[in-house]
């Protein structure tokens, strides 16, 4: 089990911290001494997560703040409130996401739901929080990707799945490849601007959480599992193990810009966290920069507006 180094005096934001790998990550960061903001879509669920963590670690420093990554107005409001506090941000973990809704759905801003929630929302959030991150000593941004990024493809001519027949899993793969490309492009931007900011990515492998059922059940009156989760064909692991790649990426001393962390055991789906190779498409620097530019246009959030 990975032991998180002492985080006393640090401030962290974990999105989707009410359940799954986000909750486990928030718990272990707080246990190590960090002040953790649980950024959640449903505050009541965030408060329950806070109570659960405090029951195990009464001294944990936690607060719950509302954030809906499928709504750019919510992203802006969250960032504005955090900025108004004026506290430097040492760690941003872009953990929240939605997986494989049964049909094409859209965000409050009209984006395809998975691209909007899993990528464009975190993109806008990260840029808006850059001033707080750059005010910290050696800040990190960890963006959660997925093993599905390996078969994802960012189709610049149809990012929103408006022309093609919608595929829940291919859309998910695209959004998670975009996350990986973003993490690497942010690392490139930090190097170019000589920021002391570490941007890395992680994926949880095959971890048992409510991610699969929550997405597949959207728009339905009963809980549903996606087809691939109905067969015991791949190994799985519990959330304590599944959170370790992003915990390692967030806190280990030997992490380098643009690194990618995931399970290193069977099929790359379970086992101890370690450095893994990004899929080939995420290594295309030209495509990464192109995606960044497209994301600025879509969200209306630009680097030039956020950082002078």
């Amino acid at each position: 089990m990975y032991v998180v180094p002492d985080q006393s005096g640090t401030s962290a934001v974990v999105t989707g911290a009410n359940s799954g790998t986000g909750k486990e990550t928030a718990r272990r960061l707080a246990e190590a001494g960090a002040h953790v903001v649980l950024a959640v879509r449903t505050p009541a669920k965030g408060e329950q997560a806070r109570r659960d963590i405090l029951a195990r670690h009464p001294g944990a420093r936690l607060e719950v703040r509302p954030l809906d990554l499928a709504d750019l107005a919510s992203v802006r409001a969250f960032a504005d409130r955090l900025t108004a506090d004026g506290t430097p941000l040492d760690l941003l973990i872009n953990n929240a996401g939605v997986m494989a809704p049964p049909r094409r759905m859209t965000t409050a801003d009209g984006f395809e739901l998975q691209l909007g929630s899993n990528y464009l929302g975190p993109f806008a959030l990260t840029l808006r929080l850059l001033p707080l991150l750059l005010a910290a000593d050696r800040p990190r941004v960890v963006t959660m990707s997925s093993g599905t990024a390996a078969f994802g493809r960012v189709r610049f001519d149809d990012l929103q799945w408006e022309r093609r027949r919608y595929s829940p899993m291919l859309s998910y793969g695209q959004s998670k490849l975009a996350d990986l490309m973003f993490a690497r492009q942010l690392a490139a931007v930090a190097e170019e601007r000589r920021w002391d900011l570490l941007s890395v990515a992680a994926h949880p492998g095959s971890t048992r959480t409510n991610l699969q059922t929550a997405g597949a059940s959207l728009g339905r009156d009963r809980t549903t599992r996606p087809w691939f989760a109905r067969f015991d064909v791949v190994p799985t692991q519990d959330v304590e193990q599944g959170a370790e790649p992003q915990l390692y990426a967030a806190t280990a001393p030997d992490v380098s810009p643009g690194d990618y962390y995931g399970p290193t055991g069977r099929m790359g789906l379970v086992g101890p966290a370690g450095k893994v190779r990004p899929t080939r498409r995420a290594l295309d620097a030209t495509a990464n920069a192109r995606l960044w530019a497209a994301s600025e246009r879509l969200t209306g959030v630009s680097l030039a507006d956020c950082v002078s």
Side-chain angles (χ1 to χ4, degrees), residues 7-303:
Q7 298 296 301
S8 298
T10 65
S11 176
V13 168
V14 181
T15 67
N18 60 283
S19 65
T21 55
K23 181 179 178 181
E24 176 67 12
T25 296
R27 180 185 72 80
R28 288 163 71 175
L29 288 173
E31 180 183 15
H35 175 272
V36 183
V37 174
L38 283 64
V40 298
R41 185 165 56 92
T42 307
K45 293 181 179 179
E47 292 293 347
Q48 183 59 58
R50 180 176 178 272
R51 288 192 293 270
D52 292 345
I53 296 171
L54 286 172
R56 296 182 62 174
H57 308 290
R61 296 186 300 144
L62 305 159
E63 62 176 303
V64 176
R65 298 202 183 194
L67 171 65
D68 184 355
L69 290 165
D71 184 345
L72 291 178
S74 175
V75 170
R76 179 168 191 161
F78 176 89
D80 285 350
R81 285 193 293 268
L82 211 62
T83 300
D85 292 345
T87 303
L89 180 61
D90 298 278
L91 179 59
L92 170 61
I93 299 187
N94 290 315
N95 165 83
V98 62
M99 181 179 186
R103 58 181 175 82
R104 185 184 183 278
M105 299 179 179
T106 56
T107 69
D109 305 284
F111 304 134
E112 186 275 316
L113 181 62
Q114 295 190 92
L115 185 74
S117 298
N118 298 349
Y119 170 63
L120 291 173
F123 172 88
L125 177 67
T126 303
L127 264 60
R128 290 194 180 280
L129 291 180
L130 275 175
L132 291 182
L133 287 160
L134 295 176
D137 180 29
R138 305 192 70 182
R140 295 193 193 191
V141 176
V142 180
T143 301
M144 183 71 95
S145 183
S146 165
T148 62
F151 63 77
R153 184 175 179 183
V154 173
R155 297 182 182 272
F156 288 99
D157 62 339
D158 190 21
L159 286 171
Q160 308 290 342
W161 290 81
E162 295 170 310
R163 302 175 186 175
R164 291 168 290 152
R165 181 180 178 182
Y166 177 73
S167 166
M169 284 308 298
L170 291 181
S171 172
Y172 182 69
Q174 174 184 249
S175 71
K176 288 300 172 178
L177 173 59
D179 284 329
L180 183 51
M181 293 167 69
F182 169 60
R184 293 186 62 82
Q185 182 62 16
L186 180 57
V189 169
E191 180 180 12
E192 178 184 346
R193 292 184 170 230
R194 297 184 179 179
W195 293 341
D196 194 13
L197 179 146
L198 194 58
S199 173
V200 294
H203 79 87
S206 182
T207 297
R208 296 184 295 274
T209 70
N210 67 349
L211 177 67
Q212 296 86 358
T213 56
S217 302
L218 286 174
R220 293 175 171 171
D221 58 5
R222 61 186 177 85
T223 300
T224 303
R225 301 173 71 197
W227 65 267
F228 60 86
R230 300 171 192 169
F231 305 95
D232 295 326
V233 295
V234 297
T236 62
Q237 61 187 4
D238 60 30
V239 72
E240 289 80 9
Q241 188 79 60
E244 297 210 334
Q246 71 178 3
L247 280 165
Y248 192 95
T251 63
D254 59 345
V255 175
S256 297
D259 278 356
Y260 188 31
Y261 291 88
T264 59
R266 185 181 171 196
M267 300 171 66
L269 297 174
V270 296
K275 188 176 177 180
V276 296
R277 181 173 175 79
T279 183
R280 176 178 54 83
R281 289 192 175 100
L283 300 176
D284 185 337
T286 300
N288 294 350
R290 183 182 179 188
L291 178 63
W292 181 294
S295 304
E296 288 192 339
R297 289 194 300 271
L298 287 167
T299 63
V301 181
S302 71
L303 187 63

